[in-house]
Amino acid sequence: MTNNRVIIAGGGIGGLATALTLHQIGVPCIVFEAVRELRPLGVGINLQPNAVRELYDLGFTQEDLDRVGLPAREWALVGLNGNDIYSEPRGLLAGYNWPQYAVHRGQFHMLLNEKVVERIGPEAVTLGSRVTGYRKSPDGSVSALIEHADGSTSEARGALLIGADGIHSEVRAQMHPAQPPIHWGGAVMWRGTTWAKPIRTGASFVGLGTHRQRIVFYPISHPEPHTGLAIINWIAEVTMDNTEGWKQRGWFRPVSIDDFIHHFENWIWDWFDVPSLIRQADTVFENPMIDRDPVPNWRDGPVALLGDAAHAMYPTGSNGGSQAIVDARVLGAAMVEHGVTQEALAAYDDKLCGPISQLILRNRGAGPFGLLNMVDERCGGTFDNIDDVIAPEERAEFMAGYRAAAGFAVEKLNKAPQTIPNGARTRTALGI
């Protein structure tokens, strides 16, 4: 079983999507996850059409995704005086063959785990087991070094190791020991969810404010039939002086609403009350907007990085989770072509590392929220007619450039062949 077994470090979105993909193409695998119990943690994320396409090809259904979120209908930016800067339809309404989904991250994670257990078995994921490094063998195989929750250690041997162990990846740290520390650009985010009535289309993603101070909000559940209320995911963000680095303990912690509400106390319009939305949240988490500098490659012989371990990026483009899913599928396609081999990892690395490294830097420059920067520079964020500030053609060109860089330009995606054709199996699974 270890001859062509793939070891996966990390049981997050990327790790579980990889396990499901490997199972689909006939490759045995095992996931080692550091936490002792998987729980539905986190708030909202968006799954872009390129990722939903891959989930459908993995056998997920609309009913599956509707359990953890809802299809997005609109993406909009709004200025400080409540006037629209830009809006566009999303998903099927934008002409994609697949929807865009706004989901509860934790519930989506649990859905992935449910499918892994159902298809591969409960033994596929070993909890309370952190991969702390790896050792390459002369025969080309690799051993993952594992530290267990009880303090014991062990090794697991396989043909390949996939480091999907997040922004603090120990696999990446060994692969790139000279990498700079986590990068913080000065933005602090406060995140929460609130039961409220959706606005605009009822499934709109709205970014309101400037690039230095804004709130983003969108529903991540279908409205309750009897109340019309849905779970609204929101992120309040302020850019601060970061010359002394991040001084708080931890990167993601619960905080009191009173710690930050003053930044948004006066953000009230006749169509939207920001402080009311924030104050009705049950729990609020604070975290800095962080990423990592791109590295020149994601591969070291029989070891490859995937998801945040490979490309932790600012969430400004709503494509971190989506890219992790796409990573898994591109990796699977490489194994269909090259088998469970180092050549497959090289092909995966060659295809994704360069362009996704550029996307990291593009998101660091505000990603699609760069339009807010332009409006702020030209008029301070307040205007009567946006066309007098930025021409419609310039706004459309800016957004088209981002969609292309992020891999979900509509015509290109719709025409692209399946990443992994139906029924495709690795050469190993076929006995070749």
Side-chain angles (χ1 to χ4, degrees), residues 172-310:
R172 174 175 167 137
Q174 179 174 338
M175 188 180 297
H176 296 285
Q179 68 174 342
I182 287 174
H183 170 265
W184 175 48
V188 178
M189 299 183 292
W190 296 276
R191 312 179 73 146
T193 57
T194 301
W195 283 95
K197 287 193 175 181
I199 64 170
R200 297 174 72 107
T201 67
S204 293
F205 177 110
V206 180
L208 169 62
T210 72
H211 68 291
R212 296 186 309 274
Q213 182 177 356
R214 65 175 177 255
I215 185 163
V216 172
F217 55 96
Y218 54 92
I220 56 174
S221 76
H222 292 272
E224 291 285 344
H226 56 288
T227 65
L229 302 181
I231 301 174
I232 307 297
N233 178 78
W234 55 264
I235 306 103
E237 178 190 326
V238 173
T239 299
M240 302 178 176
D241 180 4
N242 68 331
T243 54
E244 296 185 359
W246 182 248
K247 294 298 184 182
Q248 303 295 338
R249 288 184 299 173
W251 298 97
F252 192 82
R253 65 191 186 103
V255 295
S256 168
I257 291 172
D258 291 334
D259 290 348
F260 68 94
I261 190 67
H262 59 280
H263 292 295
F264 302 92
E265 199 71 75
N266 297 321
W267 285 36
I268 301 174
W269 295 267
D270 57 359
W271 56 275
F272 189 54
D273 186 328
V274 173
S276 176
L277 181 76
I278 292 174
R279 289 193 181 280
Q280 292 179 65
D282 291 332
T283 306
V284 175
F285 297 92
E286 176 187 77
N287 63 290
M289 187 181 290
I290 54 178
D291 66 3
R292 280 198 181 277
D293 289 347
V295 288
N297 56 72
W298 298 348
R299 172 184 170 249
D300 176 19
V303 184
L305 304 174
L306 184 144
D308 279 354

Side-chain angles (χ1 to χ4, degrees), residues 50-131:
N50 56 339
V52 174
R53 174 197 195 205
E54 301 298 342
L55 291 172
Y56 281 6
D57 284 353
L58 264 174
F60 287 75
T61 65
Q62 177 182 333
E63 290 74 20
D64 288 330
L65 296 180
D66 280 340
R67 285 167 45 199
V68 299
L70 79 166
R73 299 173 61 87
E74 180 192 35
W75 191 91
L77 295 179
V78 180
L80 280 175
N81 58 354
N83 292 340
D84 275 15
I85 293 172
Y86 179 86
S87 67
E88 66 180 22
R90 281 297 171 103
L92 298 175
L93 294 178
Y96 289 98
N97 293 338
W98 306 270
Q100 174 177 327
Y101 262 83
V103 301
H104 187 289
R105 185 217 170 273
Q107 293 176 11
F108 175 63
H109 184 202
M110 299 306 290
L111 174 63
L112 289 171
N113 184 65
E114 174 187 312
K115 298 296 185 182
V116 168
V117 171
E118 175 186 300
R119 298 178 187 180
I120 310 177
E123 71 284 352
V125 180
T126 302
L127 300 176
S129 300
R130 180 190 305 276
V131 175

Side-chain angles (χ1 to χ4, degrees), residues 395-414:
R395 302 197 302 272
E397 182 181 0
F398 180 93
M399 286 303 302
Y402 186 82
R403 286 193 298 272
F408 53 94
V410 59
E411 291 186 5
K412 183 176 181 180
L413 182 61
N414 283 350

Side-chain angles (χ1 to χ4, degrees), residues 362-430:
R362 195 180 187 107
N363 277 358
R364 189 178 287 183
F369 289 107
L371 276 176
L372 293 179
N373 300 21
M374 296 164 65
V375 172
D376 190 44
E377 290 168 358
R378 298 182 191 186
C379 67
T382 301
F383 55 87
D384 292 324
N385 185 349
I386 189 59
D387 291 348
D388 296 333
V389 181
I390 305 178
E393 298 79 11
E394 186 177 2
R395 302 197 302 272
E397 182 181 0
F398 180 93
M399 286 303 302
Y402 186 82
R403 286 193 298 272
F408 53 94
V410 59
E411 291 186 5
K412 183 176 181 180
L413 182 61
N414 283 350
K415 292 179 180 178
Q418 286 180 294
T419 306
I420 299 176
N422 293 336
R425 309 277 281 178
T426 62
R427 294 180 306 175
T428 303
L430 294 171

